[in-house]
Tab-separated table of all heavy atoms in Angstrom:
chain	number	residue	atom	x	y	z
A	125	GLU	N	99.524	27.227	-196.744
A	125	GLU	CA	100.035	26.750	-195.457
A	125	GLU	C	99.563	27.630	-194.302
A	125	GLU	O	99.086	27.158	-193.304
A	125	GLU	CB	101.560	26.809	-195.504
A	125	GLU	CG	102.228	25.510	-195.238
A	125	GLU	CD	103.730	25.689	-195.333
A	125	GLU	OE1	104.190	26.292	-196.313
A	125	GLU	OE2	104.403	25.242	-194.427
A	129	GLU	N	95.435	27.174	-191.290
A	129	GLU	CA	95.661	26.740	-189.919
A	129	GLU	C	94.480	26.994	-188.998
A	129	GLU	O	93.475	27.528	-189.400
A	129	GLU	CB	96.913	27.384	-189.321
A	129	GLU	CG	97.259	28.779	-189.699
A	129	GLU	CD	96.389	29.930	-189.357
A	129	GLU	OE1	95.678	29.890	-188.357
A	129	GLU	OE2	96.450	30.897	-190.100
A	130	THR	N	94.658	26.634	-187.808
A	130	THR	CA	93.867	27.027	-186.660
A	130	THR	C	92.371	27.096	-186.832
A	130	THR	O	91.764	28.045	-186.427
A	130	THR	CB	94.313	28.413	-186.128
A	130	THR	OG1	94.316	29.328	-187.195
A	130	THR	CG2	95.656	28.319	-185.480
A	152	ARG	N	91.940	32.739	-179.986
A	152	ARG	CA	92.905	33.777	-180.351
A	152	ARG	C	92.543	34.446	-181.668
A	152	ARG	O	91.867	33.866	-182.505
A	152	ARG	CB	94.305	33.164	-180.474
A	152	ARG	CG	94.791	32.430	-179.241
A	152	ARG	CD	95.289	33.419	-178.226
A	152	ARG	NE	95.790	32.744	-177.027
A	152	ARG	CZ	96.209	33.413	-175.964
A	152	ARG	NH1	96.194	34.735	-175.958
A	152	ARG	NH2	96.635	32.767	-174.898
A	153	SER	N	93.106	35.616	-181.856
A	153	SER	CA	92.923	36.360	-183.098
A	153	SER	C	93.261	35.475	-184.295
A	153	SER	O	94.276	34.796	-184.294
A	153	SER	CB	93.828	37.587	-183.077
A	153	SER	OG	93.576	38.394	-184.187
A	154	GLY	N	92.396	35.464	-185.316
A	154	GLY	CA	92.660	34.659	-186.495
A	154	GLY	C	92.096	33.258	-186.425
A	154	GLY	O	92.069	32.549	-187.417
A	155	GLN	N	91.639	32.847	-185.247
A	155	GLN	CA	91.074	31.506	-185.128
A	155	GLN	C	89.568	31.552	-185.359
A	155	GLN	O	88.911	32.529	-185.033
A	155	GLN	CB	91.347	30.925	-183.741
A	155	GLN	CG	92.813	30.606	-183.516
A	155	GLN	CD	93.076	30.003	-182.160
A	155	GLN	OE1	92.382	30.316	-181.203
A	155	GLN	NE2	94.080	29.162	-182.073
A	171	ALA	N	89.250	36.795	-178.785
A	171	ALA	CA	90.084	37.961	-179.101
A	171	ALA	C	89.560	38.741	-180.296
A	171	ALA	O	88.795	38.216	-181.110
A	171	ALA	CB	91.508	37.508	-179.374
A	172	SER	N	90.007	39.960	-180.385
A	172	SER	CA	89.744	40.785	-181.557
A	172	SER	C	90.284	40.070	-182.784
A	172	SER	O	91.421	39.625	-182.792
A	172	SER	CB	90.441	42.132	-181.340
A	172	SER	OG	90.638	42.784	-182.550
A	189	ARG	N	85.695	40.050	-177.707
A	189	ARG	CA	86.257	41.176	-178.454
A	189	ARG	C	86.170	40.948	-179.957
A	189	ARG	O	86.347	41.857	-180.734
A	189	ARG	CB	87.731	41.371	-178.073
A	189	ARG	CG	87.925	41.687	-176.610
A	189	ARG	CD	89.332	42.181	-176.312
A	189	ARG	NE	89.432	42.559	-174.925
A	189	ARG	CZ	89.808	41.745	-173.947
A	189	ARG	NH1	90.130	40.497	-174.220
A	189	ARG	NH2	89.850	42.166	-172.704
A	208	LYS	N	82.019	40.273	-170.727
A	208	LYS	CA	82.460	41.620	-171.033
A	208	LYS	C	82.250	41.830	-172.530
A	208	LYS	O	82.846	41.136	-173.346
A	208	LYS	CB	83.943	41.734	-170.674
A	208	LYS	CG	84.423	43.148	-170.511
A	208	LYS	CD	85.865	43.098	-169.991
A	208	LYS	CE	86.448	44.476	-169.862
A	208	LYS	NZ	87.884	44.438	-169.629
A	212	GLU	N	83.286	42.978	-181.976
A	212	GLU	CA	83.361	43.651	-183.270
A	212	GLU	C	82.057	43.446	-184.029
A	212	GLU	O	81.607	44.317	-184.762
A	212	GLU	CB	84.519	43.078	-184.092
A	212	GLU	CG	85.875	43.476	-183.546
A	212	GLU	CD	87.011	42.588	-184.019
A	212	GLU	OE1	86.751	41.567	-184.687
A	212	GLU	OE2	88.160	42.904	-183.701
B	125	GLU	N	104.206	34.134	-192.125
B	125	GLU	CA	104.501	33.278	-193.266
B	125	GLU	C	105.648	32.317	-192.944
B	125	GLU	O	106.109	32.208	-191.831
B	125	GLU	CB	104.801	34.121	-194.503
B	125	GLU	CG	103.548	34.601	-195.216
B	125	GLU	CD	102.917	35.786	-194.513
B	125	GLU	OE1	103.664	36.636	-194.037
B	125	GLU	OE2	101.681	35.828	-194.413
B	150	ARG	N	97.128	42.663	-180.728
B	150	ARG	CA	96.313	41.768	-181.535
B	150	ARG	C	97.190	40.813	-182.350
B	150	ARG	O	96.904	39.623	-182.448
B	150	ARG	CB	95.404	42.557	-182.463
B	150	ARG	CG	94.401	41.669	-183.148
B	150	ARG	CD	93.992	42.250	-184.458
B	150	ARG	NE	92.692	42.890	-184.355
B	150	ARG	CZ	92.083	43.442	-185.408
B	150	ARG	NH1	92.668	43.446	-186.574
B	150	ARG	NH2	90.907	44.013	-185.260
B	153	ASP	N	98.453	38.118	-180.210
B	153	ASP	CA	97.391	37.152	-179.935
B	153	ASP	C	97.310	36.132	-181.072
B	153	ASP	O	97.177	34.925	-180.847
B	153	ASP	CB	96.073	37.904	-179.783
B	153	ASP	CG	95.002	37.057	-179.147
B	153	ASP	OD1	95.200	36.672	-177.991
B	153	ASP	OD2	94.000	36.762	-179.811
B	154	ARG	N	97.421	36.638	-182.297
B	154	ARG	CA	97.400	35.770	-183.482
B	154	ARG	C	98.569	34.786	-183.431
B	154	ARG	O	98.409	33.603	-183.707
B	154	ARG	CB	97.512	36.666	-184.720
B	154	ARG	CG	97.537	35.943	-186.039
B	154	ARG	CD	96.131	35.823	-186.585
B	154	ARG	NE	96.111	35.436	-187.996
B	154	ARG	CZ	96.083	34.179	-188.405
B	154	ARG	NH1	96.072	33.199	-187.545
B	154	ARG	NH2	96.042	33.895	-189.684
B	156	ILE	N	100.189	33.750	-180.783
B	156	ILE	CA	99.984	32.767	-179.719
B	156	ILE	C	99.097	31.637	-180.232
B	156	ILE	O	99.334	30.461	-179.955
B	156	ILE	CB	99.384	33.431	-178.461
B	156	ILE	CG1	100.368	34.446	-177.886
B	156	ILE	CG2	99.044	32.376	-177.410
B	156	ILE	CD1	99.786	35.331	-176.791
B	157	GLY	N	98.079	31.999	-181.019
B	157	GLY	CA	97.217	30.982	-181.632
B	157	GLY	C	98.020	30.038	-182.516
B	157	GLY	O	97.814	28.825	-182.502
B	158	LEU	N	98.957	30.579	-183.279
B	158	LEU	CA	99.794	29.744	-184.155
B	158	LEU	C	100.735	28.874	-183.329
B	158	LEU	O	100.970	27.717	-183.654
B	158	LEU	CB	100.609	30.618	-185.110
B	158	LEU	CG	99.820	31.393	-186.165
B	158	LEU	CD1	100.768	32.201	-187.034
B	158	LEU	CD2	99.019	30.435	-187.032
B	161	SER	N	99.097	25.829	-182.339
B	161	SER	CA	98.533	24.925	-183.337
B	161	SER	C	99.551	24.464	-184.391
B	161	SER	O	99.447	23.356	-184.897
B	161	SER	CB	97.344	25.585	-184.039
B	161	SER	OG	97.765	26.740	-184.738
B	162	LYS	N	100.525	25.304	-184.731
B	162	LYS	CA	101.396	24.970	-185.860
B	162	LYS	C	102.780	24.473	-185.461
B	162	LYS	O	103.602	24.199	-186.318
B	162	LYS	CB	101.574	26.202	-186.751
B	162	LYS	CG	100.293	26.664	-187.424
B	162	LYS	CD	99.866	25.754	-188.548
B	162	LYS	CE	100.432	26.213	-189.863
B	162	LYS	NZ	99.971	25.394	-190.973
B	199	GLU	N	95.628	40.946	-169.575
B	199	GLU	CA	94.255	40.438	-169.584
B	199	GLU	C	93.898	39.919	-170.972
B	199	GLU	O	93.273	38.872	-171.124
B	199	GLU	CB	93.302	41.565	-169.169
B	199	GLU	CG	92.012	41.072	-168.546
B	199	GLU	CD	90.836	41.242	-169.486
B	199	GLU	OE1	90.734	42.296	-170.132
B	199	GLU	OE2	90.040	40.303	-169.582
B	200	ILE	N	94.333	40.636	-172.012
B	200	ILE	CA	93.995	40.224	-173.376
B	200	ILE	C	94.784	38.975	-173.777
B	200	ILE	O	94.235	38.025	-174.319
B	200	ILE	CB	94.279	41.371	-174.374
B	200	ILE	CG1	93.329	42.535	-174.107
B	200	ILE	CG2	94.119	40.883	-175.822
B	200	ILE	CD1	93.604	43.778	-174.918
B	201	LEU	N	96.075	38.949	-173.496
B	201	LEU	CA	96.903	37.853	-173.999
B	201	LEU	C	96.909	36.637	-173.072
B	201	LEU	O	97.175	35.529	-173.512
B	201	LEU	CB	98.336	38.348	-174.237
B	201	LEU	CG	98.470	39.404	-175.341
B	201	LEU	CD1	99.917	39.834	-175.501
B	201	LEU	CD2	97.941	38.868	-176.673
Side-chain angles (χ1 to χ4, degrees):
Chain A
E125 237 179 312
E129 35 64 29
T130 52
R152 304 281 181 184
S153 186
Q155 291 181 329
S172 159
R189 299 193 176 91
K208 199 173 177 191
E212 289 161 354
Chain B
E125 278 78 39
R150 189 207 258 183
D153 195 63
R154 179 92 166 90
I156 296 170
L158 293 180
S161 63
K162 295 287 268 183
E199 206 253 317
I200 294 174
L201 295 180

